[in-house]
Amino acid sequence: VKELMDDVIRFLQVRLSKGYWPELQQPIGVGAAFEGWSPNEDEPVYHLLVPLKPPRSYVFKLGLDSTGQIPAQESYIQVELECTCSKEEAGRECFVQHLTEELRRPPGLSDIVSLCTSSNLDVQKTASWFRGLLSLGWAAMPQSRQYGLKLLPSARSCMLQLTSVKGKTRGETFLVEIIFGVQKDNSDIFLSSEARDSVLSPSTMWRVSYAVAEGKTFKAIAARVPRGSFHLKCLQACTSILVGTSFSTHIMKTIVMHLLTTIPLSHWQDRDFVPRLQDIMWYLSSSLKEKRLNHFFIGNKNLPEEINLPAPFQSAKPCNLFHHLAQDPAAHGQALKEFEELLDR
């Protein structure tokens, strides 16, 4: 999947090289399927994050959301012309400020402007633009002779169904979701087009994504655990029983990541499978009772050294993922009941 989408992005990069559209970077595999586990083994969705960079003559400026939270959960991405003044001219007023909007745009520079709403990069317009590129360009790609492409409905991403049309795998289908992101301060944090669960965000708001950092965390752990480690099987077992409850796979994933950085990695072998499952459930139980589950990346001093976070994320106070339970007694009571159901399962 990764190699196929690498080729697709390279093809599109060539077609966009002379325009003033966002520059597509090589995709990064994120999420469960690329981390080596999946709560749904029968039909996993392969998620790829395609980083975007501004075209020449433009810069992306990342703002905070209206709540002013640091680090913010969401942010807008402002698209601005890049100042080209030399250092000698730095003390004077930038010449760009003297030009009208019409004169500021070189031929074709309005391309990226069409993806903006009020000078902010628009998630839905960007996703629609990419789907159009793929739809128009697919027939010319060599990959079209091996796979049939069907674009599925998706407002903030590009959801693909690919069907093999050749060889022994003919008729096989798999799902790929392409999300888009802008890197924050050369770190492992991105502002992504990914939608927040059950929250309808404005199309100019991009969600802070930790997916790349999570992938690097599991890769770092995989390099250190002894052969035959069952940590991914533990995670898969615990996420597979969550259907019908309000607990998300992200909650279980957060708990397992916390335990992987506190329990020695040599204690995640097959002989330790049941004790580690008990540890995971105990951690969830105590977090529910305390109405507190700390975010794995925000304010965590126990991260693998490979993880690169912006300074505000490192110095921030730990973020409570169970904050809503502390504010809503009814939701807390329901969560406790659902936990008892998980124990029965």
Side-chain angles (χ1 to χ4, degrees), residues 275-289:
R276 293 297 80 79
L277 289 182
Q278 292 172 334
D279 286 336
I280 294 169
M281 299 307 288
W282 171 85
Y283 201 109
L284 177 57
S285 174
S286 60
S287 297
L288 287 172
K289 290 175 182 176

Side-chain angles (χ1 to χ4, degrees), residues 2 27-40 44-49 177 179 194 209-219 232 235-236 239 249-250 253 257 297:
K2 178 67 167 59
I28 303 170
V30 297
F34 285 99
E35 292 164 357
W37 65 281
S38 176
N40 184 3
V45 178
Y46 298 92
H47 300 277
L48 294 115
L49 185 147
E177 183 177 24
I179 58 178
E194 184 181 6
S209 173
Y210 303 88
V212 173
E214 289 174 357
K216 287 185 68 174
T217 297
F218 280 102
K219 186 175 181 180
L232 293 178
L235 177 55
Q236 188 160 308
T239 54
T249 57
H250 181 252
K253 190 176 182 180
M257 288 192 293
F297 294 102

Side-chain angles (χ1 to χ4, degrees), residues 65-323:
D65 66 2
S66 58
T67 65
Q69 293 175 335
I70 298 178
Q73 293 183 354
E74 294 181 317
S75 177
Y76 56 82
I77 300 173
Q78 193 167 16
V79 179
E80 293 184 359
L81 280 163
E82 185 175 21
C83 175
T84 56
C85 294
S86 65
K87 291 183 179 179
E88 290 75 17
E89 298 171 314
R92 309 176 203 167
E93 191 174 12
C94 176
F95 80 95
V96 171
Q97 298 174 15
H98 292 289
L99 302 180
T100 64
E101 285 298 319
E102 296 302 320
L103 293 176
R104 287 168 68 183
R105 294 194 186 111
L109 201 58
S110 61
D111 294 350
I112 194 172
V113 175
S114 67
L115 304 184
C116 294
T117 297
S118 299
S119 79
N120 294 323
L121 192 62
D122 190 293
V123 174
Q124 295 186 16
K125 290 179 181 179
T126 301
S128 178
W129 161 72
F130 184 87
R131 287 194 298 271
L133 281 178
L134 198 54
S135 178
L136 291 173
W138 181 254
M141 297 182 197
Q143 293 76 18
S144 65
R145 294 190 287 272
Q146 295 177 292
Y147 298 97
L149 171 71
K150 181 180 180 181
L151 294 173
L152 304 178
S154 179
R156 298 176 66 95
S157 64
C158 183
M159 183 74 80
L160 317 174
Q161 178 179 289
L162 292 165
T163 304
S164 176
V165 295
K166 279 190 174 183
K168 295 180 180 179
T169 61
R170 184 173 182 174
E172 269 189 18
T173 65
F174 55 95
L175 299 176
V176 177
E177 183 177 24
I178 297 174
I179 58 178
F180 311 97
V182 174
Q183 191 175 19
K184 191 172 179 65
D185 302 333
N186 295 314
S187 70
D188 296 323
I189 304 301
F190 284 76
L191 293 180
S192 84
S193 64
E194 184 181 6
R196 291 182 63 190
D197 297 336
S198 305
V199 177
L200 186 61
S201 298
S203 62
T204 52
M205 279 295 182
W206 295 68
R207 183 184 181 184
V208 176
S209 173
Y210 303 88
V212 173
E214 289 174 357
K216 287 185 68 174
T217 297
F218 280 102
K219 186 175 181 180
I221 289 169
R224 295 169 187 157
V225 294
R227 182 179 295 273
S229 173
F230 263 60
H231 65 286
L232 293 178
K233 289 293 184 183
C234 289
L235 177 55
Q236 188 160 308
C238 289
T239 54
S240 67
I241 64 172
L242 297 179
V243 178
T245 72
S246 60
F247 299 114
S248 66
T249 57
H250 181 252
I251 292 298
M252 281 297 187
K253 190 176 182 180
T254 298
I255 290 172
V256 171
M257 288 192 293
H258 277 302
L259 289 174
L260 283 167
T261 55
T262 53
I263 295 176
L265 294 179
S266 59
H267 292 183
W268 291 84
Q269 299 299 292
D270 53 354
R271 65 179 181 273
D272 306 308
F273 187 67
V274 172
R276 293 297 80 79
L277 289 182
Q278 292 172 334
D279 286 336
I280 294 169
M281 299 307 288
W282 171 85
Y283 201 109
L284 177 57
S285 174
S286 60
S287 297
L288 287 172
K289 290 175 182 176
E290 296 173 12
K291 305 173 189 176
R292 181 166 197 88
L293 174 61
N294 286 341
H295 195 286
F296 184 71
F297 294 102
I298 299 176
N300 186 0
K301 308 301 182 184
N302 200 29
L303 294 175
E305 60 184 11
E306 291 89 344
I307 306 303
N308 179 19
L309 298 182
F313 288 71
Q314 300 174 33
S315 58
K317 293 181 180 179
C319 175
N320 182 15
L321 298 180
F322 281 170
H323 175 74

